[in-house]
Amino acid sequence: MKKLISAAFLFAAIFCLTTCQKKAQETGIESEEKAFVYPEGSPVAIHGALHVDGIQLVDKNNQPIQLAGVSTIGWMWCKECYTKESITHLVEDWHCNVIRAAMYVEEGGYNSDPEWNTQMMKNLIEWTGELGVYCVVDWHMLSPGDPLAPEYKDAPAFFKEIADKYAGADHVIYELCNEPNGPTVDWARITEYANGIIPVIHGAADQVGAQHPVILCGTPRWDQVVNAPIADGDRRLPYDNIMYTFHFYASTHTFYNEIYEVLGQLPVFCSEYGTVEASGNGEANFAATDKWLLMFNGNNAGKQLVSSCNWSFCDKPETSAALYPGACEKQEWDNVQPSGDYVKRFITMMNTGVKDSIVLNPANRYIP
Ligand code: IDC
């Protein structure tokens, strides 16, 4: 009898060895998979894989969750700003629970060196995973503004590579296309693009039996026409866990009422905001930034809690940069410009609950 049992085990083991290997060869996935152990007490350990419930981003226990953190800038411009050490500082000292990894495609980014850029993306995914915070994988298209332009032909292959490697990783969030723009780039065009990418990401999750990750989709005119999916009939993307992106720059954008209303209708993620002008430069307007961020904290038609990432954690000589020029090379992660000071205070208050009278002054709230 004993012999029979061990023979059965042996048979099963050999069977699995051959079929599992075969499956790995066929899909190329199993061997690539990366499992993360999120540190105890970290945001991802506590909240797990996020999903979307109606208009609200929620955690694994279906509790509303609101992330607050920063975005990188194009890392080809500020290489020294993105290291394991700087990201650790952003998590431990700035209390970020999300980092947006903005990978420019043109502008000297991915298309100039796909290998290095993909590796940087993987580094950021790994570091955030090891720290237990969420990571937004941003395909940062900008010019041209059409996500289906030939310049962006690698999008399906890029997302497949990342989605296969990180299938089932609870901390990874996908952003399909930063700020679609241009006169011909309407919601139908963006939908056509999104329909080509979303099944790729879902396919990877399905392979490992994981839930579909949260996917952020850009909206027309630099993420300003956020109501596009519902403006002309219901044309929302027909998949689970989709959110629509909205970006504001406080010294330029003042269409508070439109967004106040949209937040009652669609799940929105602010993957990029600036305290300054839309150029990324000029004077900061902190009272106006307060107005938008208070709106994200429930002062809107749906009492939606909106997650946000600030543009940007870098030391490029521009006022939207959190740090002064030269700070990264010297590893001075707290050498903040006025914008960085405000942003660090905001994120800390959001994620620790400790009040700071410099940010979120209730007197600045938008009154519809
Ligand atoms: C800006 C950078 C700037 C860079 C420029 C390239 O801050 O250093 O030279 O891109 O075109 C966005 C974009 C984001 C912009 C940012 C500020 O998503 O790429 O970054 N912005 O202009 N939308 C609105 C503002």
Side-chain angles (χ1 to χ4, degrees):
M1 187 63 182
K2 249 189 179 171
K3 262 191 190 160
L4 232 160
I5 291 173
S6 41
F9 264 121
L10 197 69
F11 179 74
I14 292 170
F15 181 77
C16 178
L17 212 72
T18 49
T19 52
C20 295
Q21 263 175 2
K22 194 157 162 248
K23 202 170 170 217
Q25 280 159 8
E26 275 166 11
T27 61
I29 287 177
E30 278 80 354
S31 55
E32 274 273 38
E33 241 175 80
K34 163 94 196 180
F36 286 92
V37 181
Y38 301 110
E40 208 184 318
S42 67
V44 185
I46 294 168
H47 298 288
L50 307 181
H51 62 283
V52 179
D53 181 11
I55 57 171
Q56 184 61 53
L57 182 64
V58 297
D59 72 4
K60 65 176 180 190
N61 301 314
N62 295 318
Q63 294 304 306
I65 184 163
Q66 185 181 16
L67 304 175
V70 295
S71 176
T72 71
I73 199 171
W75 39 62
M76 63 288 186
W77 294 318
C78 295
K79 289 193 179 72
E80 301 91 354
C81 294
Y82 312 115
T83 61
K84 177 82 191 274
E85 195 199 326
S86 67
I87 303 300
T88 303
H89 188 84
L90 283 170
V91 172
E92 290 177 356
D93 290 72
W94 289 45
H95 305 282
C96 291
N97 55 17
V98 60
I99 304 288
R100 178 191 192 224
M103 187 186 74
Y104 277 83
V105 187
E106 280 286 287
E107 290 87 18
Y110 174 89
N111 284 343
S112 307
D113 190 345
E115 221 163 282
W116 180 72
N117 278 279
T118 306
Q119 187 54 51
M120 274 300 285
M121 180 62 85
K122 289 176 183 170
N123 291 348
L124 282 155
I125 295 173
E126 310 263 334
W127 297 333
T128 49
E130 287 159 18
L131 290 159
V133 299
Y134 296 89
C135 182
V136 176
V137 174
D138 167 29
W139 179 252
H140 201 86
M141 48 158 282
L142 191 59
S143 298
D146 181 354
L148 289 169
E151 285 83 348
Y152 306 129
K153 63 173 181 357
D154 284 0
F158 168 77
F159 280 109
K160 181 165 184 356
E161 180 175 350
I162 298 296
D164 281 352
K165 186 168 172 68
Y166 299 106
D170 291 349
H171 74 294
V172 181
I173 295 173
Y174 295 88
E175 183 171 358
L176 302 182
C177 46
N178 174 66
E179 300 194 352
N181 64 85
T184 58
V185 182
D186 57 7
W187 182 243
R189 188 83 177 152
I190 298 168
T191 301
E192 190 184 335
Y193 164 75
N195 281 335
I197 309 291
I198 295 170
V200 170
I201 299 171
H202 284 184
D206 292 344
Q207 284 279 351
V208 299
Q211 100 177 22
H212 291 159
V214 171
I215 296 179
L216 316 179
C217 186
T219 55
R221 200 148 38 80
W222 295 281
D223 284 5
Q224 306 284 285
V225 189
V226 194
N227 70 344
I230 46 168
D232 194 9
D234 185 354
R235 294 186 296 156
R236 286 174 291 179
L237 296 168
Y239 310 92
D240 54 352
N241 302 331
I242 302 291
M243 304 186 82
Y244 303 94
T245 49
F246 163 60
H247 291 174
F248 77 80
Y249 280 77
S251 297
T252 303
H253 302 124
T254 55
F255 48 110
Y256 305 110
N257 201 58
E258 278 172 62
I259 299 302
Y260 184 97
E261 293 302 328
V262 178
L263 294 181
Q265 299 165 304
L266 286 173
V268 171
F269 195 111
C270 178
S271 55
E272 187 182 312
Y273 71 89
T275 62
V276 301
E277 293 168 7
S279 63
N281 235 320
E283 281 277 309
N285 185 337
F286 296 121
T289 309
D290 268 5
K291 204 176 293 299
W292 284 116
L293 295 177
L294 286 162
M295 193 180 288
F296 291 174
N297 283 3
N299 179 35
N300 61 71
K303 300 197 165 27
Q304 184 177 157
L305 300 174
V306 181
S307 299
S308 61
C309 295
N310 174 256
W311 189 265
S312 65
F313 183 81
C314 74
D315 65 353
K316 204 164 180 245
E318 56 186 22
T319 53
S320 58
L323 307 180
Y324 280 108
C328 291
E329 207 191 332
K330 291 183 242 149
Q331 306 184 3
E332 295 171 353
W333 313 124
D334 283 317
N335 189 358
V336 285
Q337 300 208 67
S339 183
D341 178 61
Y342 175 96
V343 166
K344 182 181 178 185
R345 288 170 186 276
F346 165 69
I347 295 168
T348 301
M349 178 164 158
M350 290 297 291
N351 295 340
T352 65
V354 178
K355 294 251 178 322
D356 183 331
S357 62
I358 306 281
V359 292
L360 298 181
N361 178 351
N364 291 328
R365 82 197 274 275
Y366 173 69
I367 300 165

